[in-house]
Amino acid sequence: MQLQQLRYFLEIAKEKSISAAAKNLYISQPSLSQQIINLEKELGISLLIRHSKSVSLSEAGEQFLVHAQRIVGETTQLSELMHKHSILQEGTLRIGMLWIAGYINLFQVLADYRKLYTNLKYDLKIDGTSILLEQLLKRKLHSAFIIGSDEQFELQKDLFFRRIMMDRYVAVVSSGHPFAGKKSLSLRELHNVPVIMPSRASAFYRQLVQYFEQYHITPACICETSQSDAVVRLAAQNFGVGFSSDSIARSMQTKEFRIIPLEEVIVRRIYYVTLKELLDYPSIRSFTRYVTHYPFDRLNSEEKEPRKITK
């Protein structure tokens, strides 16, 4: 049984004439008659009662009509739904966003994209880089904005990635801190100095530890957190030296704390990442194309690589 045969049958049932139905369907009457005969043979029952100039439905034909109308109707609805998906009038984007997304205007990207495709829905996961990348690789997210490096993502052969932002890390200290008047700060100066370390799960934590080991110094860690609000507020209250990306620190700037550039150039790179296998899917292809062409405001006029660490 073919869907086209169901449509032929419905047209005949509507017109009560094979010749009239054939005219409406733009096929020859013999071809249409043969299609219905083939259908009846397959079903093992006559659907039509043929008269000299018209047809009527048999009892089986009446029941077949009800089911054929439902099947064709649902098939049409399904086809229309899939078409809506293809033209981005239907569907859900599952996107991973960093905790710091609000500070670096990543939500604005979504807002601008939503203006173009108002019928799409969004399912957002807000978390840290390690969790978002794990969710992406488990196919629980369609794409994510995360912190990383080219070297890291190149190891994942099934990922498409594009760097969209880069920023330098800075020190944040209370306005009353002894370092507050410095124009720059070296990590060498932090021996036995209270510091607010980033989370151990972050790449930034590992970079800081490498420098401390290289310089043979041990800062006095009072806590570990990558929550920007907590870092800045603790530093502003003179609990210790905090670390933040320059853009986030400036977005929270008050008279209570000072931002000091680090002499060791440590950068934070933010990437848009998705799975290569999803790039042919309309909504993911569209969103990926939009993000990779989005005019992100660069926070640094020049992109310097971090200083190499020698052990």
Side-chain angles (χ1 to χ4, degrees):
M1 188 189 313
Q2 299 175 3
L3 185 62
Q4 191 63 34
Q5 289 175 318
L6 300 186
R7 292 195 172 101
Y8 288 165
F9 174 81
L10 292 178
E11 190 64 28
I12 292 172
K14 183 182 75 172
E15 295 293 338
K16 296 181 175 56
S17 167
I18 294 179
S19 60
K23 183 178 180 181
N24 293 343
L25 295 168
Y26 299 100
I27 62 174
S28 68
Q29 180 176 337
S31 296
L32 180 58
S33 295
Q34 189 60 52
Q35 286 287 340
I36 300 304
I37 291 171
N38 293 341
L39 177 60
E40 291 174 321
K41 286 181 179 179
E42 180 181 348
L43 297 173
I45 188 73
S46 294
L47 301 175
L48 301 178
I49 299 173
R50 292 160 174 83
H51 310 290
S52 59
K53 294 185 179 180
S54 64
V55 296
S56 59
L57 301 182
S58 66
E59 181 181 357
E62 294 283 0
Q63 294 182 348
F64 188 84
L65 174 65
V66 173
H67 291 281
Q69 287 174 328
R70 177 178 57 79
I71 292 170
V72 171
E74 290 180 351
T75 301
T76 300
Q77 291 176 7
L78 181 60
S79 178
E80 291 174 351
L81 177 60
M82 294 303 100
H83 178 64
K84 287 183 178 179
H85 275 275
S86 72
I87 61 174
L88 308 185
Q89 291 186 0
E90 186 72 38
T92 301
L93 280 171
R94 301 196 303 274
I95 302 172
M97 303 291 283
L98 292 161
W99 285 315
I100 61 173
Y103 296 111
I104 55 178
N105 295 323
L106 281 182
F107 292 128
Q108 187 63 49
V109 182
L110 291 184
D112 291 343
Y113 183 75
R114 189 172 57 174
K115 293 175 184 176
L116 299 177
Y117 303 102
T118 57
N119 293 322
L120 283 179
K121 301 178 181 64
Y122 298 87
D123 184 359
L124 302 183
K125 170 74 172 178
I126 300 177
D127 217 312
T129 287
S130 59
I131 298 297
L132 295 180
L133 184 56
E134 178 185 359
Q135 294 284 300
L136 180 65
L137 294 174
K138 287 183 176 180
R139 277 60 180 174
K140 294 182 178 180
L141 292 174
H142 291 138
S143 62
F145 295 88
I146 57 180
I147 297 170
S149 66
D150 287 4
E151 295 77 14
Q152 172 192 0
F153 297 130
E154 285 169 354
L155 296 175
Q156 301 284 349
K157 300 302 181 182
D158 52 351
L159 289 183
F160 168 88
F161 62 94
R162 183 67 56 85
R163 189 177 72 195
I164 59 172
M165 292 183 184
M166 192 174 81
D167 198 5
R168 294 182 181 180
Y169 284 104
V170 295
V172 180
V173 301
S174 165
S175 297
H177 194 282
F179 292 158
K182 294 178 68 65
K183 292 184 178 180
S184 64
L185 178 69
S186 171
L187 296 174
R188 296 176 186 272
E189 301 174 70
L190 297 182
H191 185 59
N192 289 330
V193 174
V195 299
I196 303 149
M197 288 290 286
S199 167
R200 287 176 182 254
S202 69
F204 183 38
Y205 177 92
R206 295 189 292 273
Q207 289 175 294
L208 286 176
V209 169
Q210 283 182 299
Y211 276 112
F212 293 149
E213 290 176 350
Q214 176 188 342
Y215 297 153
H216 305 291
I217 65 170
T218 305
C221 177
I222 68 165
C223 72
E224 297 174 3
T225 178
S226 290
Q227 296 285 349
S228 301
D229 283 347
V231 171
V232 171
R233 288 176 182 175
L234 284 169
Q237 294 299 319
N238 208 16
F239 280 94
V241 177
F243 302 99
S244 169
S245 70
D246 186 58
S247 59
I248 291 179
R250 292 186 185 282
S251 73
M252 302 173 68
Q253 182 74 73
T254 69
K255 295 180 180 180
E256 296 179 328
F257 68 89
R258 297 287 183 268
I259 300 170
I260 308 174
L262 291 173
E263 293 180 8
E264 294 78 8
V265 179
I266 307 176
V267 296
R268 180 205 65 194
R269 299 178 180 87
I270 294 180
Y271 290 77
Y272 169 79
V273 184
T274 188
L275 296 162
K276 291 179 180 177
E277 65 198 41
L278 295 178
L279 290 175
D280 288 332
Y281 194 76
S283 58
I284 311 304
R285 180 176 63 242
S286 170
F287 186 64
T288 299
R289 187 174 299 162
Y290 185 81
V291 171
T292 54
H293 290 85
Y294 192 85
F296 292 97
D297 293 328
R298 293 286 179 179
L299 299 174
N300 298 284
S301 58
E302 58 184 88
E303 301 185 356
K304 296 182 179 179
E305 293 297 321
R307 186 180 304 172
K308 293 184 178 180
I309 298 175
T310 56
K311 298 288 275 186

